[in-house]
Amino acid sequence: MKKITNLIALCVLVTFSATAQINTPQPSPAGSVSSTVGLTEISIDYFRPGKKGRDIFGTGDGYLEQFGTVWRTGANAGTIITFSTDVKVGGQDVKAGEYQIVSIPGASEWQVMLHTEKIGGNMGNYKEENVAAKVSVKPAKAMSTIERLTFQITDISADNTSANIQFGWDNVTWSIPVEVNFHDAVMKDIAAKTQVNPQNYTAAANYYLAAGENLEQALEWMNQYLAVGENAGQFWHVHTKAQILAKMGNKKDAIATAKDSMEKAKNFAQGDFGYVKRNEDLIKSLK
């Protein structure tokens, strides 16, 4: 009986010890950033060391990270970047997947590599043959001191085809361009889904208009949609038809269609949603 009592007491003590640990801030807390660029999901998961009054990049014993030395570009297990589709990084083709960001800091140039194998902080396992992309970048001086290492996904282009992966720590920043290609995927989606759901005609027509792709087909799709039921009353789609006609160089029909859209917008009980002015501006641009 005494042995059983002691065993129970030991189990209680072990359980208590496991659950009563004190939580304190991590020296290099985890960070993450993600964004959709085009149809590509880009995410970066990393650990954020702090400057803490130290000199970070340079040559000599006084610096934390030495110029010319392979670095995990973060703390703890390093930095992992993930692409959901094939992309170009610094102009180089990179397949969809996960990569560890590894770098070699320098005073006037950094080498930034995407390593196919996760090697954590063990730079002895870095191998050139496992590098999917190697990009030379020019570092810039930060406008103010960046206390904690930071990655961002910035400068997404207006057409959603490119962005920058930006790094910053201490007084150093650099960025690497990433390009995505979604045109082929959208075209396949259009081909498949317009056959089963005519509601997709408007999305397809809008994409073709924006891409300047086969405007005759875009007009046909829009006409097919507007011919169904009361769809012709949807002045926002009628306006898109006017834009397609204008881009095709058919000014006469574009103006007539814009006027039709404008009248329907004026008579819409819930408001014109700005389409009166949009049509006025389009008509003015065509005269």
Side-chain angles (χ1 to χ4, degrees), residues 99-263:
Y99 301 89
Q100 181 166 344
I101 298 178
V102 180
S103 63
I104 302 175
S108 59
E109 184 177 80
W110 283 47
Q111 300 294 321
V112 181
M113 293 75 75
L114 300 187
H115 201 265
T116 57
E117 300 296 323
K118 296 179 182 178
I119 55 177
N122 188 356
M123 294 299 99
N125 287 334
Y126 168 78
K127 293 181 175 62
E128 284 286 339
E129 59 264 32
N130 291 332
V131 172
K134 187 173 186 178
V135 184
S136 298
V137 295
K138 299 289 185 184
K141 187 172 182 178
M143 295 180 65
S144 59
T145 299
I146 302 168
E147 173 60 32
R148 290 209 173 266
L149 186 151
T150 301
F151 276 99
Q152 297 183 72
I153 301 169
T154 64
D155 306 318
I156 298 175
S157 62
D159 62 2
N160 252 313
T161 61
S162 65
N164 284 325
I165 303 302
Q166 188 175 66
F167 164 95
W169 192 24
D170 191 11
N171 61 350
V172 174
T173 67
W174 50 255
S175 63
I176 293 176
V178 177
E179 300 169 69
V180 302
N181 184 349
F182 50 81
H183 184 68
D184 291 344
V186 172
M187 297 297 285
K188 289 179 182 178
D189 218 27
I190 287 172
K193 293 180 179 177
T194 52
Q195 294 178 16
V196 298
N197 184 4
Q199 295 290 330
N200 289 318
Y201 284 147
T202 58
N206 272 286
Y207 179 78
Y208 271 32
L209 172 62
E213 178 88 26
N214 197 342
L215 295 173
E216 291 79 8
Q217 179 64 75
L219 181 61
E220 181 181 336
W221 278 329
M222 191 58 74
N223 282 334
Q224 284 180 273
Y225 176 80
L226 293 173
V228 176
E230 298 180 354
N231 289 352
Q234 296 175 5
F235 53 85
W236 49 96
H237 291 316
V238 177
H239 176 74
T240 300
K241 177 182 175 180
Q243 288 180 297
I244 295 170
L245 288 164
K247 202 163 189 176
M248 292 173 66
N250 189 342
K251 291 185 178 182
K252 180 180 177 181
D253 288 347
I255 290 172
T257 304
K259 287 181 177 178
D260 179 37
S261 172
M262 184 163 56
E263 287 305 310

